[in-house]
Amino acid sequence: SQTIHQWPATLVQPVGSPLSLECTVEGTSNPNLYWYRQAAGRGLQLLFYSVGIGQISSEVPQNLSASRPQDRQFILSSKKLLLSDSGFYLCAWKWLASNEQFFGPGTRLTVL
Amino acid sequence: SQQGEEDPQALSIQEGENATMNCSYKTSINNLQWYRQNSGRGLVHLILIRSNEREKHSGRLRVTLDTSKKSSSLLITASRAADTASYFCATDVLDYKLSFGAGTTVTVRA
C-alpha cells in the first residue's frame, strides 16, 4: 500500500531563517507530487506541482521554492522566511492516470 | 485562484440529521471531487463525480452535479459525531491540478 510522509509535523522559525520541509511517498512510482498551503480557516492554495524528477511548476510567485531530487521525494524550501509564510503545508500525490489526490498529515509552520 | 466556493461556511446539526453543503465553480470542469479534513490533519478523498454524471452515492454520501448551473452539492445522511470536519470541493480543470474551495465546517452535536 502507499504511504505519504511529511516532516516535521510542527515548526516554529524566526523571520529571515531558512526552511526545508520534506515529503516522501512509499509504495508507488512516478507519482505526481503537490505542495499546498492552507491559511487558518481557508482552503488550499496550490504552490508547486511536479510530474517527474527535476520537473517543478510554480503556481504562485512567492518566497518559496520546490525541488524533486528523487522520484518519491518532494522538498519545499525558502532561503529567508517571511511572516506571511506561516500556515499549514500539505503535500499530496496522485497516480498519473487517476484524479484522486492523497494527502500527507501536513506541517504546521509558524514564523515569528 | 480558487475556483470552487462552498456554502454555507459553517453548519451545526444534531446527530442523526442530514447535512447538506453546496459548491459553486466558475469554469468548465472534467470532474469535481469532495474531500474531508479533520482538524489539523490532511485531506481525505470522499467522492468524485465526472462532468457527465448527475448524481453519485457512496455509503451515506450523496453528491449531485449540475454543470448548467456550475454547482454541486454534498449530502451526508444520518450524521454522526465522527462526521465533524471541514468539507472541501475541488474542481479538476486540467488532469494534474485541483482547485479547492474554502470549505464548509460541519459540527455534529451529540
Side-chain angles (χ1 to χ4, degrees):
Chain A
S1 64
Q2 299 77 34
T3 310
I4 179 169
H5 303 279
Q6 281 187 249
W7 63 89
T10 60
L11 191 59
V12 180
Q13 292 284 97
V15 170
S17 63
L19 173 74
S20 181
L21 302 181
E22 189 162 342
C23 170
T24 59
V25 182
E26 297 177 356
T28 187
S29 59
N30 301 316
N32 284 3
L33 295 171
Y34 304 84
W35 277 113
Y36 293 90
R37 178 170 59 204
Q38 184 178 30
R42 304 292 301 276
L44 276 67
Q45 179 186 36
L46 179 62
L47 302 176
F48 301 93
Y49 67 91
S50 171
V51 298
I53 296 174
Q55 301 180 58
I56 308 295
S57 295
S58 174
E59 288 295 295
V60 182
Q62 60 211 315
N63 186 41
L64 303 169
S65 62
S67 62
R68 185 171 176 173
Q70 300 180 43
D71 180 47
R72 291 169 289 176
Q73 184 184 29
F74 206 21
I75 297 172
L76 184 69
S77 304
S78 174
K79 292 182 179 178
K80 288 185 178 181
L81 284 169
L82 306 172
L83 287 174
S84 58
D85 292 323
S86 293
F88 191 48
Y89 288 82
L90 289 158
C91 180
W93 73 273
K94 80 173 193 74
W95 280 296
L96 181 63
S98 172
N99 300 112
E100 174 185 355
Q101 291 190 15
F102 300 91
F103 284 80
T107 294
R108 176 80 55 194
L109 172 66
T110 303
V111 182
L112 302 175
Chain B
S1 62
Q2 291 182 326
Q3 148 118 288
E5 293 294 335
E6 289 91 343
D7 170 61
Q9 289 186 329
L11 183 60
S12 181
I13 56 175
Q14 200 72 31
E15 204 166 23
E17 294 179 340
N18 296 342
T20 301
M21 59 210 85
N22 304 295
C23 170
S24 59
Y25 57 92
K26 298 174 184 174
T27 64
S28 297
I29 60 172
N30 294 325
N31 64 71
L32 186 144
Q33 304 177 40
W34 285 90
Y35 287 78
R36 183 186 73 224
Q37 183 181 34
N38 291 90
S39 180
R41 308 292 294 275
L43 278 69
V44 175
H45 182 266
L46 294 177
I47 195 166
L48 178 152
I49 186 165
R50 300 192 184 282
S51 59
N52 61 353
E53 298 176 310
R54 291 298 168 256
E55 187 170 314
K56 202 162 184 180
H57 296 257
S58 176
R60 294 184 295 110
L61 304 179
R62 172 178 170 252
V63 170
T64 63
L65 180 64
D66 187 333
T67 53
S68 67
K69 295 181 179 179
K70 292 186 170 61
S71 67
S72 173
S73 68
L74 171 66
L75 168 68
I76 305 172
T77 60
S79 62
R80 307 166 181 170
D83 295 327
T84 294
S86 292
Y87 293 82
F88 296 89
C89 68
T91 50
D92 188 338
V93 177
L94 298 173
D95 284 342
Y96 45 83
K97 292 198 294 184
L98 292 177
S99 179
F100 286 83
T104 293
T105 299
V106 175
T107 302
V108 180
R109 306 185 306 273

